[in-house]
Amino acid sequence: MADRRSGVTGPPEQGRTTAARAAAIAELLLLEISNLLDLYSKRESLTADVIAEDSRLVSVPPPSSQLDTADKLWRLHAALLQCRGLMERAIAKENEEMGSGTGEYETQRKMVKERLTFLINITGELVKAVDGPAAVTPSLSDSLEPDNLTLFELKLWVFRVFTEVNYWAKTAVTILQALPKERVRNTRYRSTRSTRR
Amino acid sequence: MITWLLLVSLFCNSAQDGRLKDAGVFRCGPQNITVKTSDHGIFLTWQDDPSCVSVHDMLTYEIEVLIADKLVHDDEVAVTPDQIGSTHSWNWSPHLALECASFAIKLRSRSENRTSQWKWEHIIPAGHIHSDSPQVYPRDKVFQVGSTATFCCVLPMGQVLEKLYLSEQSSTNWNISRISNHTYTLTVHLNKASTTSCTDIICETKTADNGACAFIGYPPDDRDFTCETRDFQSVECLWTVGRNTHLALKSPTSYQLLESNCPKGSSGRCSHKVQVDFGERNWTLTARNQLAIVKLTDRADLTKRVYMFAPREVQVSSVNASNTRLDWEWAIQMYDKLDIKCQLNVSDGETHSVRERNGIGLNFAVLNDLIPNWTYKVMIRCGTSEHFWKWSEWSSSVEFHTMGDVPDALDIWMQVKGSQTIITWKVLLANQSHGDITDYEITWAPTSERPKKSRVMHPQNSFALILYAMNEYTVSVTANNEYGNSSPSTITIPILNAGSDKVKSSRTQGINGGFNLSWSASPIASCGYIVDWCPTKGPCVIDWLRVPPSETSVRIFSKNLREGVRYLLSIHGCTHGAPVLLEKIQGYVKEKLIQDGLFKTLKWEQRDMDVEVSWDPVALQDQSAFIQDYILYYRDNNSRVLNITTDNPQATSLTARNLQIDSYTFTVKANTSVGQCGATSITVTLNSLTDNLINAIGITLATIFVLLCLIVILCYRNWEWIKMKVYPPIPVPVLKDKWMTSLTKQSCRPVFVEMSHHNEAELMAIPELHCKSEAPAMDCADPGNVSSQTTNEYFHKPVENLGTQCTTAPCQLPLLPPPPLSSSLVTDGHLNPSFNLTSTDSFETSSNGYQPQKQEQQLEEAPENPLPCALTYILLPQLPSE
């Protein structure tokens, strides 16, 4: 990964605009997932003691200062894909176990999922723009399969999914907001394309 | 030998049985024991030992349950001799989840004081002890509000319980106990239903937390179950859904009607195909959730419970001005045979009325009494006439517009304004005009004469007539539209001012934005009463109300009535002739405080030490309340406030007496039922009487001084003129004899003066003769300037030819004293000394008027005429001074 070089395949202005749009969408997602977490906590009366869980559901390579822009984007994109998979499973399990409704919570949940999809698409474009891997296949740990969970465990799991999305939304904001500067610098000094990983 | 052996064997057997019995050992016991567990508890089955066949009495199985080696429950199962040999069962729902602890079940039989040995069965929870986080049981179980539940938390080995609690439940009546080294129980009285998806039971240790869900709710509580039919081929039942069970997630209430499942989510309504027959039968609904099963039953004959479908395909046909016909169809053929009654909801946009029709298979209706040229909406609903059960839903609405017609008769009234009688009428409402009103026709005449006609265009709604006051007139008004004329509305105008001053007048106060008027019944009011009113403020636009003869009170309410405005109300009796004024009333809908500054012309006058403050009468339009009296407040410089009042509302002045020499502020206020108001103030300073006298003298003296000064100045500036007036120059006398000739050298010609018998004053009034030195035309010699005067008349005669001889020497006539300022001289214009003398002819001409210009002209035309001088005295010549 360290051998792979970042470069620009499209017009520079277009790339910069896409990155800015991606950052804006990530900010929006962060706001919406925060609201969803609030709604869920109130809806299920979850207390801080119970929901304190710091293990990650999304499995991606650990962050490192050695990662270049393309690696960071690829890692983010992969994580967001897993987040969407988790969201879809959480929504399906909730509808199955707790019934589907049309209230504010359900509306917010749908909005987050759609925003996440949008962010995935645009980060995918950015990955392509910096010669990242063509495709990323999400892989979720089997241990996270919620099929045999009790209802209480399902509640906690759904909360963890939302927390995970919240974490990656924050990460996306950080990465995407820092992206234009790095990309400009890379553009200046790396004008030749290198072999892909 | 054989017999001996048999006897020994029997003895041995009986001895052995006796020993067993004596020892309490009973071989008949349970065998093939199976234990099954479920969410509902423990299910135990077993069979009898084959030796039980020999038991001929009642066999009893004793069962004991131990949790963590502690007896928590015991029970017995009785087996009759005929049941011996079959499989027996027993079930029990423990208060504690089976996962919480090890359960041990002991089972033995007993018969005739003999008991078998205990058989043990153990139920050991699977594997959770090896979990790395606390495990809470039971999970996802349904509880009823008000019940007591026991939860347990099984801790991992070596961990210590921190907290064990329920969310959403009050913590009173919680009991936590330890049933083993690593298992704790929490017993709770459940007093609240789950408000979230489920109630959480949380178990916390120092290192890990976990929990479980509990669904706390209510059993079904549905009621008011009734069944009916709509199509005679199915039953449809309705009920009132009870309170929220709070178990919609885990155990939603399911319904069965006639043992058939109702669709999921049925809420208060379920139907089932069934042939509806005559006769009563039971209709049963079963509602169930995990907490309870509730059965609701309704006994009914569905042929008497027909809930009809709404009429469909409602159509309007043959629409006229005031009626129309409606037709509709039925969705169910059976309805054609039913005795049906229908309600027609007829809406005219503002109001609606319901009309009812009935008949066998009723499928049409005629609507009468409709408003012409009007849009209606009609909906229909029906029900069975016999054994009426309930109305159908309303049909879809159908709209139609009736044909136009002539207008309704107008409501007319009159108003007398000065010499004019205003005939006014209420503009017809849309539902009265039956078409667009074009104009109005007014006819009027004294009762015995041929009527006169006039037309006014819509929307004008009044017509002014000037009628002869001593006659009664009949006025008729008709409204016209494209369909024709309305029937005429007639009013008789009474003889004007006929006794209206004698009518009782009173006051009233409005209530709730209107007037409640009542009056004494009048025998002359054969056709009722008319109450009219108009405001005193702004234009008097009259409004009126008709009251039937049986009533003597009315409430007048109109959005046009304004607070703080005085209204003049009149009650008239309606007769077959002219209306008769019965009563006049003034009133306010609501009195309001009059604004300050009511008295626009507040004046004051000091009389000795009294001050009279006066004002102009207050106009009615300025009164926003009835003025009861006036109050005059006066405050001196020491802020001492005094007041005087008058109880006469017509008063226009108030006098404050015995005041001090000081500065006062006078404030006049009107007193009304809503308070004192309309305050208007003036500030005056009172002067002493001595001051006033001195002032008067001073002013007089100053005036005289100024006048004198003016006179002196005027005299000085016009001294010459005054001197001429007071001491006019005496003309040089004209003499005929010789000594006069010498005078000719001095260019002073004699003037002939004839003596006359005039008195002294008249003599004094001679015309002055001016002699000016070197004047080219001497006035004194000007024949025109010489006039003779006879008795009371002046005769101007031409002087003899002297024209050229009097051109050089000025002359003076000092002999005559200065004439006094005689009034005759001043007043008689002909005696003006400066007046140019004229000829006799010209005088005659001017005898009818003074025409000095003409005289002068005539004089110029006869320059050669001699100038006779007839003097009454002779003026001595005098040499001109050097």
Side-chain angles (χ1 to χ4, degrees):
Chain A
M1 190 182 293
D3 293 334
R4 180 168 44 84
R5 298 199 178 162
S6 299
V8 177
T9 55
E13 287 304 319
Q14 183 185 343
R16 196 173 302 144
T17 307
T18 308
R21 280 176 56 216
I25 293 165
E27 283 180 348
L28 212 50
L29 174 65
L30 180 59
L31 181 68
E32 287 168 354
I33 187 65
S34 300
N35 290 341
L36 182 62
L37 272 168
D38 284 346
L39 283 173
Y40 191 73
S41 300
K42 285 174 189 166
R43 171 190 160 105
E44 298 298 343
S45 297
L46 293 172
T47 58
D49 293 344
V50 178
I51 60 183
E53 178 75 52
D54 53 0
S55 63
R56 299 256 74 90
L57 295 176
V58 167
S59 171
V60 288
S64 165
S65 58
Q66 300 300 316
L67 296 178
D68 63 9
T69 302
D71 297 331
K72 285 179 185 173
L73 279 174
W74 178 85
R75 181 172 172 272
L76 174 65
H77 185 63
L80 292 174
L81 279 168
Q82 291 183 50
C83 283
R84 184 173 64 179
L86 287 166
M87 276 292 291
E88 286 170 347
R89 289 166 67 179
I91 292 169
K93 287 298 288 182
E94 268 203 303
N95 288 344
E96 180 186 334
E97 297 290 334
M98 300 183 182
S100 56
T102 53
E104 185 187 4
Y105 165 72
E106 285 82 4
T107 306
Q108 187 74 15
R109 195 175 62 179
K110 183 168 176 279
M111 194 188 297
V112 166
K113 190 189 142 194
E114 288 171 357
R115 191 79 62 200
L116 185 57
T117 302
F118 199 19
L119 184 60
I120 287 166
N121 292 340
I122 203 161
T123 51
E125 288 177 26
L126 286 172
V127 169
K128 282 181 191 170
V130 295
D131 290 346
V136 180
T137 305
S139 62
L140 293 173
S141 168
D142 290 341
S143 63
L144 299 172
E145 180 59 48
D147 286 347
N148 296 319
L149 298 180
T150 66
L151 210 50
F152 182 80
E153 288 165 338
L154 175 65
K155 282 165 69 169
L156 291 187
W157 181 77
V158 170
F159 189 84
R160 287 181 64 197
V161 168
F162 293 163
T163 307
E164 194 72 17
V165 175
N166 187 59
Y167 170 81
W168 282 105
K170 274 183 196 167
T171 308
V173 170
T174 308
I175 291 173
L176 294 171
Q177 282 182 342
L179 191 61
K181 293 173 189 171
E182 291 187 15
R183 200 181 57 74
V184 169
R185 192 173 61 235
N186 292 339
T187 308
R188 191 176 299 159
Y189 294 111
R190 299 178 186 178
S191 57
T192 56
R193 297 180 65 179
S194 61
T195 308
R196 287 187 184 179
R197 180 177 55 176
Chain B
M1 184 64 187
I2 293 171
T3 305
W4 181 248
L5 283 172
L6 284 171
L7 286 171
V8 170
S9 173
L10 283 171
F11 175 77
C12 289
N13 280 337
S14 63
Q16 190 177 9
D17 287 347
R19 278 199 308 273
L20 282 172
K21 283 180 183 175
D22 293 341
V25 176
F26 188 44
R27 290 187 183 278
C28 171
Q31 66 175 15
N32 300 331
I33 299 171
T34 61
V35 177
K36 289 182 181 174
T37 59
S38 70
D39 291 344
H40 302 294
I42 301 165
F43 187 71
L44 190 68
T45 60
W46 70 93
Q47 292 176 333
D48 303 312
D49 187 89
S51 61
C52 297
V53 177
S54 60
V55 177
H56 302 292
D57 292 333
M58 180 70 80
L59 185 65
T60 301
Y61 285 96
E62 296 176 357
I63 303 166
E64 290 184 355
V65 182
L66 293 85
I67 297 176
D69 303 328
K70 189 183 288 181
L71 179 66
V72 294
H73 184 68
D74 58 63
D75 203 355
E76 288 184 353
V77 175
V79 176
T80 56
D82 59 315
Q83 291 174 331
I84 292 173
S86 61
T87 301
H88 312 296
S89 66
W90 170 83
N91 62 32
W92 177 63
S93 295
H95 66 283
L96 193 64
L98 298 176
E99 296 90 343
C100 292
S102 304
F103 280 70
I105 302 171
K106 293 195 299 182
L107 180 66
R108 70 176 180 183
S109 63
R110 187 185 75 235
S111 180
E112 296 175 348
N113 296 324
R114 292 179 300 164
T115 55
S116 69
Q117 289 186 330
W118 286 108
K119 291 282 182 70
W120 288 79
E121 288 293 331
H122 293 277
I123 305 167
I124 298 174
H128 64 257
I129 293 173
H130 305 295
S131 172
D132 57 355
S133 63
Q135 300 296 315
V136 179
Y137 301 100
R139 291 171 175 169
D140 307 341
K141 192 175 177 183
V142 175
F143 297 91
Q144 186 168 345
V145 176
S147 66
T148 299
T150 300
F151 303 94
C152 74
C153 178
V154 183
L155 300 176
M157 296 297 272
Q159 291 199 13
V160 178
L161 180 72
E162 287 279 314
K163 270 196 209 171
L164 180 58
Y165 62 94
L166 257 73
S167 64
E168 304 179 358
Q169 295 285 329
S170 63
S171 58
T172 55
N173 301 322
W174 286 14
N175 182 22
I176 297 175
S177 60
R178 185 177 183 177
I179 59 172
S180 71
N181 286 340
H182 50 270
T183 305
Y184 291 82
T185 59
L186 168 66
T187 303
V188 183
H189 180 76
L190 303 171
N191 49 16
K192 277 177 67 181
S194 300
T195 53
T196 59
S197 57
C198 62
T199 302
D200 297 329
I201 306 106
I202 311 293
C203 182
E204 296 179 10
T205 67
K206 281 188 177 175
T207 55
D209 305 330
N210 206 346
C213 266
F215 298 91
I216 305 166
Y218 298 96
D221 183 31
D222 304 274
R223 57 190 178 277
D224 304 334
F225 176 68
T226 55
C227 293
E228 63 199 13
T229 184
R230 305 199 74 168
D231 55 5
F232 296 91
Q233 293 178 344
S234 63
V235 60
E236 185 167 317
C237 297
L238 300 105
W239 65 94
T240 304
V241 177
R243 65 184 163 195
N244 180 7
T245 63
H246 294 268
L247 300 174
L249 194 60
K250 183 67 177 176
S251 177
T253 306
S254 62
Y255 297 95
Q256 282 186 324
L257 177 63
L258 304 176
E259 298 180 353
S260 296
N261 288 331
C262 294
K264 195 175 181 183
S266 295
S267 180
R269 180 183 290 266
C270 183
S271 62
H272 188 62
K273 282 284 177 189
V274 65
Q275 187 58 43
V276 173
D277 298 320
F278 289 99
E280 287 189 346
R281 60 164 287 190
N282 282 337
W283 308 93
T284 304
L285 178 81
T286 305
R288 75 180 76 208
N289 65 12
Q290 285 190 25
L291 292 176
I293 297 171
V294 175
K295 285 197 173 185
L296 302 170
T297 301
D298 180 32
R299 185 170 181 77
D301 177 357
L302 290 192
T303 59
K304 296 178 182 176
R305 288 191 179 179
V306 181
Y307 175 37
M308 296 182 70
F309 286 109
R312 63 179 192 177
E313 304 292 331
V314 181
Q315 290 181 332
V316 182
S317 59
S318 61
V319 180
N320 298 312
S322 60
N323 58 63
T324 190
R325 177 186 162 113
L326 295 167
D327 296 273
W328 61 87
E329 295 177 2
W330 293 116
I332 306 298
Q333 207 170 357
M334 276 287 286
Y335 291 179
D336 293 338
K337 299 171 186 171
L338 294 178
D339 188 3
I340 296 170
K341 64 177 176 183
C342 292
Q343 283 188 334
L344 293 91
N345 185 325
V346 183
S347 167
D348 59 10
E350 294 172 356
T351 61
H352 65 89
S353 60
V354 175
R355 308 178 188 194
E356 221 167 280
R357 304 282 186 275
N358 59 0
I360 302 293
L362 186 68
N363 60 0
F364 77 96
V366 175
L367 288 175
N368 296 314
D369 302 325
L370 302 176
I371 302 168
N373 191 37
W374 200 253
T375 301
Y376 285 94
K377 285 183 180 177
V378 181
M379 296 185 298
I380 307 165
R381 66 177 183 179
C382 301
T384 51
S385 291
E386 195 182 5
H387 309 299
F388 177 77
W389 172 237
K390 61 169 72 167
W391 290 110
S392 69
E393 297 100 347
W394 287 105
S395 70
S396 56
S397 176
V398 62
E399 187 175 297
F400 62 91
H401 193 88
T402 53
M403 305 291 285
D405 202 355
V406 298
D408 284 351
L410 293 164
D411 181 3
I412 67 171
W413 187 234
M414 55 141 192
Q415 181 185 15
V416 178
K417 280 186 179 175
S419 62
Q420 286 189 326
T421 302
I422 312 292
I423 304 300
T424 183
W425 54 91
K426 290 186 176 172
V427 175
L428 291 175
L429 303 174
N431 60 357
Q432 297 168 324
S433 61
H434 308 160
D436 294 334
I437 298 291
T438 53
D439 57 2
Y440 302 93
E441 184 176 282
I442 302 105
T443 59
W444 71 97
T447 47
S448 59
E449 291 183 15
R450 191 175 176 183
K452 297 175 183 174
K453 285 187 180 178
S454 185
R455 260 175 207 277
V456 296
M457 300 305 292
H458 182 74
Q460 191 177 335
N461 70 328
S462 63
F463 186 71
L465 293 170
I466 298 176
L467 305 175
Y468 179 53
M470 299 310 291
N471 274 355
E472 275 192 357
Y473 282 79
T474 302
V475 181
S476 296
V477 186
T478 59
N480 307 322
N481 67 9
E482 60 181 305
Y483 303 100
N485 305 338
S486 69
S487 55
S489 301
T490 303
I491 187 170
T492 304
I493 310 298
I495 296 170
L496 299 181
N497 301 321
S500 62
D501 297 338
K502 298 173 187 173
V503 170
K504 176 186 165 189
S505 183
S506 60
R507 288 181 171 183
T508 186
Q509 283 290 350
I511 298 171
N512 297 329
F515 294 105
N516 290 345
L517 300 182
S518 61
W519 56 91
S520 303
S522 171
I524 60 172
S526 57
C527 52
Y529 302 89
I530 302 112
V531 181
D532 69 24
W533 64 92
C534 84
T536 58
K537 194 171 186 178
C540 175
V541 179
I542 199 161
D543 201 356
W544 68 94
L545 205 63
R546 294 184 184 275
V547 182
S550 57
E551 295 177 15
T552 55
S553 65
V554 70
R555 173 163 175 78
I556 294 171
F557 181 81
S558 165
K559 62 180 179 182
N560 296 327
L561 294 177
R562 290 172 291 160
E563 295 180 354
V565 174
R566 185 179 295 194
Y567 284 86
L568 305 176
L569 303 105
S570 304
I571 299 166
H572 304 261
C574 171
T575 70
H576 293 298
V580 178
L581 179 62
L582 300 176
E583 201 171 328
K584 291 195 285 190
I585 302 167
Q586 295 187 17
Y588 292 88
V589 170
K590 186 179 180 184
E591 290 184 287
K592 290 173 74 176
L593 285 172
I594 301 171
Q595 290 186 338
D596 286 348
L598 172 66
F599 309 95
K600 294 180 177 59
T601 54
L602 204 59
K603 292 177 281 194
W604 68 282
E605 186 179 349
Q606 181 177 354
R607 291 174 183 165
D608 296 338
M609 293 314 293
D610 302 340
V611 170
E612 183 191 66
V613 176
S614 61
W615 57 89
D616 290 342
V618 178
L620 280 184
Q621 61 263 30
D622 294 336
Q623 298 182 26
S624 57
F626 286 119
I627 295 176
Q628 296 165 344
D629 51 59
Y630 297 100
I631 305 161
L632 173 64
Y633 292 93
Y634 49 102
R635 190 184 70 224
D636 58 16
N637 273 341
N638 297 324
S639 297
R640 193 164 55 112
V641 179
L642 298 167
N643 69 76
I644 52 172
T645 62
T646 172
D647 54 1
N648 176 15
Q650 308 300 328
T652 56
S653 68
L654 278 166
T655 303
R657 301 187 185 282
N658 301 322
L659 303 180
Q660 305 294 320
I661 302 302
D662 201 347
S663 180
Y664 283 88
T665 298
F666 291 93
T667 301
V668 185
K669 290 184 180 179
N671 194 22
T672 68
S673 65
V674 288
Q676 295 179 3
C677 47
T680 310
S681 299
I682 52 170
T683 302
V684 301
T685 303
L686 300 192
N687 297 321
S688 72
L689 297 176
T690 313
D691 290 344
N692 287 343
L693 184 61
I694 292 170
N695 286 345
I697 293 169
I699 289 167
T700 308
L701 288 174
T703 308
I704 291 169
F705 177 75
V706 168
L707 280 173
L708 286 174
C709 288
L710 281 172
I711 290 167
V712 168
I713 290 167
L714 282 171
C715 290
Y716 178 76
R717 287 178 67 90
N718 298 288
W719 178 245
E720 288 301 321
W721 181 81
I722 292 168
K723 192 176 164 186
M724 288 294 287
K725 286 287 183 186
V726 177
Y727 303 106
I730 299 168
V732 177
V734 179
L735 300 175
K736 288 185 177 177
D737 46 3
K738 289 182 181 177
W739 64 269
M740 290 296 289
T741 58
S742 64
L743 288 173
T744 59
K745 294 178 181 176
Q746 297 178 18
S747 302
C748 186
R749 293 176 59 177
V751 176
F752 297 96
V753 179
E754 288 182 0
M755 289 297 290
S756 76
H757 56 274
H758 291 309
N759 59 29
E760 187 179 356
E762 288 171 331
L763 288 174
M764 296 287 281
I766 60 170
E768 63 179 317
L769 299 176
H770 296 277
C771 291
K772 293 182 179 174
S773 81
E774 304 298 333
M778 274 295 285
D779 289 344
C780 59
D782 189 342
N785 282 351
V786 178
S787 64
S788 64
Q789 198 169 8
T790 58
T791 304
N792 296 328
E793 287 182 339
Y794 300 96
F795 294 96
H796 297 268
K797 295 178 180 176
V799 179
E800 291 180 358
N801 189 9
L802 298 171
T804 57
Q805 299 173 0
C806 191
T807 57
T808 55
C811 61
Q812 289 184 338
L813 299 174
L815 298 180
L816 283 175
L821 288 171
S822 165
S823 61
S824 63
L825 271 174
V826 173
T827 54
D828 192 342
H830 293 283
L831 294 181
N832 187 340
S834 63
F835 179 63
N836 292 329
L837 297 176
T838 59
S839 65
T840 307
D841 293 338
S842 68
F843 179 79
E844 287 170 357
T845 307
S846 64
S847 62
N848 293 327
Y850 173 51
Q851 294 176 317
Q853 297 300 326
K854 190 175 178 184
Q855 291 164 356
E856 187 179 1
Q857 191 179 5
Q858 288 171 344
L859 200 61
E860 288 174 29
E861 285 172 355
E864 301 300 328
N865 290 342
L867 177 64
C869 289
L871 301 177
T872 55
Y873 57 92
I874 297 171
L875 298 176
L876 293 176
Q878 189 177 11
L879 290 172
S881 62
E882 289 296 326

